[in-house]
Amino acid sequence: MRISASLHLAANAIMLCALISLPSRAQDVALTPPMGWNSWNYFAEKVDDQGVRAAADAMVVSGMKDAGYVYVNIDDTWEGQRDSNGVLHTNAKFPDMKALADYVHSKGLKIGIYSSPGPKTCAGYEGSLGHEEQDAQLYASWGIDYLKYDLCSFIPEVMEKQAPNDPPAQMRLMHAAYAKMAKALRATGRPIVFSLCQYGMDAVWEWAPSVGGNLWRTTGDIQPNMYSIYANMSLQAGLATYAGPGHWNDPDMLEVGNGDLTLAENRAHFSLWAMLAAPLLAGNDLPHMKPEIKDILTNRDVIAIDQDKLGKQGARAYVDGEVEVWARNLAGGALAVAVLNTGDTRYSTHPFHLRLSRMGLHGPLKAKDLWTGKEIDLTEEMPLELAIHDVLLLRIAAPK
Ligand code: GLA
């Protein structure tokens, strides 16, 4: 008895040591979905040092930082050439990446960067192939806190060349490439969030955490229109069990404030990403955003749904024609419900009738409308008027 007890103690001690010696990034990054900003959706190739500083400034001044936004992420097109030692340099748009990182850190924010496991990025800039350790060390020396690693040229240049006509072998090459960079990041000893961007290939949600991913894109690129937003949202149905603290499904960065999205559509997009426990990476022009866009991005009740400590992604509860009802369990037994009108023609002549019973609920129930801030009483089959592409987002503190 005593021997087995002490063996048990010894085993526990060994496990504890192993845990303690694990680099901290494996344990404490992305415990809730990452929040921040990324340059791509609005600036694309026009991103530069000044623009990133301006985004960091705006994140503070707008109140976004206080609302929980942390990461200021530079996407593609910062890369220059490698020198004779293989060291990657920035291009002229980014004269001093270390100074930029210091600036972002001085604001109490964190900074992210972008690369590819292939020889080139999606925009044709220098990728990390063959320089993974060197690049990871470079990022750490600059003080980088987040890496988005985008498959791009790895498909034609490595997967298709090394394993022609053999998709399973191609996928194994891809898994290995992501595992390699994760290992290189870990070896730096710096906590760096690792974001996989390979558009959902080979059921990425099933293997991304095992190769060190903290989040993984599940879809192709989002566009600032409701059809794209709705398509990306729909692709998350069934993926809820794969998400949790430290590892998240990523239906792509936010388009809130971009393109011709109406206020209703911006609200719906933000609500749905919160229901999906999605990373909240704003993708708009922060220094010039309208007050109503800032109000959407800083709605604390909605952010609290996204960042809920339980980390349980919401799921589609039921669909009634063009209206979708999604539900998300929250810490402390609360429930979030989103009712989305995806259709183009529903008016007060035919309000939607919410069926609480289809979610296993029984009215009357008290709920808070997270966009108006008003308390409402929910009853079975109650009529709801939903504007085109608008959402009703509710928090039910005590569902029954
Ligand atoms: C891919 C990614 C985008 C963006 C661009 C940059 O398309 O999916 O999010 O990073 O590359 O070139």
Side-chain angles (χ1 to χ4, degrees):
M1 266 305 266
R2 219 176 300 144
I3 290 174
S4 88
S6 56
L7 272 179
H8 196 66
L9 273 179
N12 276 347
I14 289 166
M15 268 176 61
L16 197 64
C17 289
L19 270 178
I20 289 166
S21 67
L22 260 182
S24 51
R25 67 165 288 280
Q27 297 163 43
D28 64 10
V29 297
L31 292 182
T32 59
M35 290 180 66
W37 171 85
N38 173 292
S39 58
W40 187 255
N41 282 355
Y42 183 83
F43 291 97
E45 302 198 20
K46 294 199 183 74
V47 63
D48 62 9
D49 178 286
Q50 284 308 313
V52 174
R53 284 171 193 252
D57 293 347
M59 205 182 270
V60 175
V61 172
S62 64
M64 286 175 72
K65 180 186 169 213
D66 287 343
Y69 293 82
V70 174
Y71 293 97
V72 178
N73 291 352
I74 306 164
D75 207 276
D76 204 351
T77 81
W78 63 268
E79 310 87 340
Q81 301 302 316
R82 292 190 187 276
D83 63 23
S84 53
N85 295 319
V87 177
L88 182 59
H89 292 264
T90 52
N91 61 39
K93 297 190 297 166
F94 290 90
D96 186 341
M97 197 62 93
K98 173 84 172 73
L100 178 56
D102 288 348
Y103 182 79
V104 171
H105 289 148
S106 77
K107 300 253 150 191
L109 299 168
K110 296 184 176 182
I111 186 163
I113 210 159
Y114 167 101
S115 189
S116 170
K120 296 284 176 208
T121 66
C122 287
Y125 289 70
E126 196 65 21
S128 291
L129 184 66
H131 296 275
E132 293 81 0
E133 287 83 9
Q134 203 171 18
D135 286 359
Q137 292 295 337
L138 180 68
Y139 305 150
S141 75
W142 285 336
I144 296 294
D145 307 294
Y146 184 117
L147 173 68
K148 173 175 168 183
Y149 207 43
D150 196 350
L151 197 59
C152 304
S153 66
F154 192 82
I155 302 175
E157 295 300 328
V158 179
M159 290 158 65
E160 288 171 1
K161 279 195 180 144
Q162 288 187 20
N165 306 316
D166 188 352
Q170 293 178 2
M171 297 306 138
R172 283 192 287 275
L173 287 166
M174 175 179 65
H175 305 161
Y178 279 100
K180 186 170 195 178
M181 182 50 98
K183 192 172 167 214
L185 292 175
R186 263 198 308 276
T188 68
R190 186 176 175 83
I192 298 177
V193 173
F194 190 37
S195 157
L196 275 60
C197 180
Q198 45 77 285
Y199 339 114
M201 285 169 68
D202 202 28
V204 61
W205 42 89
E206 290 186 0
W207 53 268
S210 71
V211 297
N214 298 114
L215 61 154
W216 49 87
R217 280 270 298 276
T218 52
T219 70
D221 288 13
I222 196 167
Q223 303 294 327
N225 66 68
M226 202 56 192
Y227 304 100
S228 165
I229 291 165
Y230 176 56
N232 281 16
M233 176 198 85
S234 298
L235 285 166
Q236 310 316 301
L239 299 187
T241 52
Y242 298 98
H247 50 98
W248 308 99
N249 290 303
D250 175 8
D252 207 354
M253 304 168 295
L254 293 166
E255 292 282 16
V256 172
N258 285 342
D260 296 327
L261 291 175
T262 65
L263 273 187
E265 291 171 338
N266 281 310
R267 259 196 309 271
H269 178 20
F270 198 63
S271 305
L272 296 165
W273 263 229
M275 291 297 287
L276 293 169
L280 295 181
L281 295 172
N284 57 323
D285 181 5
L286 298 186
H288 302 110
M289 70 182 151
K290 295 187 178 138
E292 55 270 31
I293 297 300
K294 184 200 76 180
D295 290 347
I296 291 175
L297 289 172
T298 55
N299 182 317
R300 293 191 181 223
D301 283 339
V302 182
I303 291 171
I305 304 287
D306 183 76
Q307 296 289 301
D308 184 75
K309 293 284 175 287
L310 205 55
K312 274 198 174 297
Q313 179 176 326
R316 194 184 254 141
Y318 74 95
V319 182
D320 188 338
E322 75 278 37
V323 178
E324 301 222 351
V325 181
W326 288 64
R328 178 173 176 184
N329 291 310
L330 303 171
L335 185 75
V337 173
V339 186
L340 171 71
N341 178 12
T342 71
D344 293 330
T345 58
R346 188 185 268 269
Y347 305 100
S348 55
T349 42
H350 284 89
F352 173 72
H353 292 269
L354 182 63
R355 300 221 166 87
L356 296 174
S357 54
R358 291 193 66 174
M359 291 181 282
L361 299 173
H362 306 281
L365 281 173
K366 294 249 174 267
K368 182 176 179 188
D369 177 333
L370 301 187
W371 288 110
T372 65
K374 292 194 178 127
E375 297 292 333
I376 55 176
D377 290 313
L378 299 177
T379 51
E380 181 66 10
E381 299 261 3
M382 72 186 293
L384 297 173
E385 279 184 38
L386 294 167
I388 293 163
H389 297 175
D390 209 347
V391 74
L392 175 69
L393 183 63
L394 302 168
R395 186 178 196 283
I396 306 171
K400 57 179 173 46

